[in-house]
């Protein structure tokens, strides 16, 4: 529930999405407040999912909020995604994004990727079984490069685009941002997109569908 | 001679495969082709210091892995098809 998750959840709650499952192990830090708009000064030190959940319930009491203060990893990803209709990648490491990508493709759960660095942002929608996946665009071996500077409005813009994709997916309106990566260059105020084709022999795109049993 | 270049990735107005590249003579090396591609799309790290760049995932020549047929010294002949698979550089923050 960081710079992307805060605006995404805000828009989805305001739009009347029935249930939002928030996953984030982290606590609010003062340095988060330039972009993580669901957290305020009074929330510093609180679990982000609890801080965000309080605000979202006030925005729309009819939206059910499930706050999970856990770190997504390869052991719990399938369980966290059980019963989810749509995943929104507001993560901040590539390692966790690749875990989410694999789990979503295994369970055939569409997901909307977002990423930001400075004044640059990227958005893409992946539909398992129909489109390319995250690993068709990015090298699985990509290492995270430590703390990443994020300009608050960049995260807000990318998150708004992710929320737009989510509402389009839910409502069936418009054409989704599939097989493309949309880039925002905030330094030059330009958008452009890169077409991505499925990687030949991609072992994620070709994953067999797995049903995760209910415990 | 002409070489057809294809890719998993297309950037509008910058890099829009499939592309036909025309060269004088009967053959060129893969390195020469990639040098031409690099000149056209400087933002992609396709060839760096004479070797394949970080953005290159794989190169197929007529469907065969270029590693098996001479890597960057592989010889391309008229009407060969080169498929360039490219990675994007992710924006990691969230």
């Amino acid at each position: 529930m960081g710079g992307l998750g805060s605006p995404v959840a805000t828009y989805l709650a305001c739009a009347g999405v029935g249930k939002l499952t928030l996953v984030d192990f982290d606590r609010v830090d003062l340095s988060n407040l330039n972009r993580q708009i669901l957290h305020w000064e009074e929330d510093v030190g609180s679990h982000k999912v609890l801080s965000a959940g309080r605000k979202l319930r006030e925005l729309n009491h009819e939206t059910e909020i499930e706050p999970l203060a856990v770190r997504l990893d390869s052991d719990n990803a399938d369980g966290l995604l059980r019963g989810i209709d749509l995943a929104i990648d507001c993560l901040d490491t590539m390692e966790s994004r690749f875990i989410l990508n694999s789990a979503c493709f295994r369970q055939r759960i569409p997901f909307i990727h977002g990423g930001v660095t400075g004044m640059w942002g990227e958005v893409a929608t992946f539909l398992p079984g129909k489109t390319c996946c995250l690993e068709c665009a990015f090298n699985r071996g990509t290492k995270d490069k430590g703390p990443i500077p994020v300009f608050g409005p960049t995260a807000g813009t990318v998150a708004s685009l992710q929320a737009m994709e989510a509402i389009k997916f839910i409502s069936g309106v418009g054409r989704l941002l599939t097989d493309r990566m949309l880039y925002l260059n905030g330094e030059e105020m330009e958008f452009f997109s890169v077409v991505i084709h499925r990687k030949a022999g991609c072992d994620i795109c070709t994953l067999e569908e797995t049903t995760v049993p209910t415990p | 001679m002409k070489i057809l270049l294809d890719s998993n990735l297309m950037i509008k107005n910058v890099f829009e495969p499939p592309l036909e590249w025309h060269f004088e003579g009967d053959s060129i090396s893969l390195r020469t082709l990639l040098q031409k591609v690099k000149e056209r799309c400087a933002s992609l790290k396709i060839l760096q210091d004479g070797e394949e760049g970080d953005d290159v995932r794989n190169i197929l020549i007529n469907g065969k892995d270029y590693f098996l047929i001479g890597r960057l010294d592989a010889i391309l002949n008229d009407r060969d098809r080169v498929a360039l698979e490219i990675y994007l550089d992710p924006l990691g923050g969230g």
Side-chain angles (χ1 to χ4, degrees):
Chain A
M1 292 309 298
L4 296 175
S6 292
V8 166
T10 300
Y11 276 117
L12 296 186
C14 290
V17 170
K19 180 178 178 181
L20 295 174
T21 299
L22 316 177
V23 180
D24 195 330
F25 70 96
D26 207 1
R27 291 175 184 267
V28 179
D29 185 86
L30 189 63
S31 66
N32 301 149
L33 303 188
N34 74 319
R35 62 197 185 280
Q36 301 186 12
I37 56 173
L38 281 175
H39 312 307
W40 306 340
E41 286 183 357
E42 67 198 40
D43 301 314
V44 170
S46 303
H47 273 295
K48 288 184 177 179
V49 290
L50 298 179
S51 162
R54 279 197 299 275
K55 319 304 189 329
L56 294 169
R57 286 188 193 97
E58 288 193 33
L59 279 170
N60 186 349
H61 72 280
E62 292 186 344
T63 293
E64 181 186 349
I65 305 295
E66 182 181 32
L68 301 175
V70 296
R71 184 195 295 266
L72 177 93
D73 60 33
S74 54
D75 292 330
N76 65 15
D78 283 321
L80 289 172
L81 287 168
R82 186 184 297 118
I84 296 289
D85 297 311
L86 173 68
I88 305 186
D89 161 15
C90 302
L91 297 160
D92 60 1
T93 68
M94 290 311 295
E95 182 185 0
S96 55
R97 286 186 170 102
F98 290 129
I99 291 170
L100 179 69
N101 182 54
S102 302
C104 282
F105 270 69
R106 263 197 304 277
Q107 296 193 45
R108 298 293 187 267
I109 297 170
F111 84 100
I112 299 167
H113 162 73
V116 286
T117 296
M119 297 176 84
W120 282 77
E122 65 192 19
V123 189
T125 296
F126 300 105
L127 304 177
K130 295 181 181 170
T131 71
C132 68
C133 78
L134 195 74
E135 289 198 19
C136 293
F138 301 132
N139 184 351
R140 192 185 303 184
T142 302
K143 300 293 181 197
D144 292 299
K145 296 170 185 168
I148 295 169
V150 179
F151 187 58
T154 311
T157 305
V158 169
S160 296
L161 294 168
Q162 288 181 281
M164 187 182 289
E165 281 291 281
I167 295 170
K168 282 164 59 186
F169 173 80
I170 293 165
S171 61
V173 172
R175 184 164 76 98
L176 293 170
L177 186 59
T178 52
D179 291 319
R180 290 173 290 156
M181 186 76 70
L182 178 66
Y183 283 95
L184 157 67
N185 173 358
E187 294 169 16
E188 302 291 336
M189 274 306 177
E190 289 179 344
F191 284 92
F192 64 96
S193 61
V194 171
V195 173
I196 309 161
H197 297 303
R198 190 179 283 190
K199 179 170 65 173
C202 175
D203 55 359
I204 301 298
C205 288
T206 53
L207 276 173
E208 291 289 325
E209 183 171 357
T210 305
T211 303
V212 179
T214 305
Chain B
M1 62 171 284
K2 69 177 179 185
I3 303 291
L4 187 72
L5 180 77
D6 206 349
S7 178
N8 64 312
L9 182 143
M10 185 186 88
I11 307 172
K12 198 169 182 186
N13 299 326
V14 178
F15 184 61
E16 300 184 78
L19 298 167
E20 265 190 18
W21 297 79
H22 293 264
F23 296 93
E24 303 218 341
D26 296 331
S27 63
I28 58 160
S29 70
L30 176 61
R31 184 179 279 104
T32 302
L33 174 70
L34 296 187
Q35 183 60 44
K36 290 287 180 191
V37 177
K38 176 182 158 65
E39 288 169 11
R40 180 160 176 160
C41 190
S43 57
L44 289 175
K45 293 179 224 119
I46 291 170
L47 195 68
Q48 294 170 286
D49 303 323
E51 295 298 324
E52 59 268 40
D54 291 346
D55 291 336
V56 174
R57 171 197 303 157
N58 194 13
I59 304 170
L60 301 175
I61 301 173
N62 299 323
K64 291 181 184 166
D65 192 322
Y66 79 124
F67 255 72
L68 306 176
I69 45 180
R71 298 184 63 163
L72 295 183
D73 294 322
I75 298 299
L76 305 176
N77 298 302
D78 187 32
R79 298 178 188 277
D80 277 351
R81 298 179 70 95
V82 176
L84 193 57
E85 296 186 6
I86 301 173
Y87 282 122
L88 299 172
D89 203 8
L91 304 175

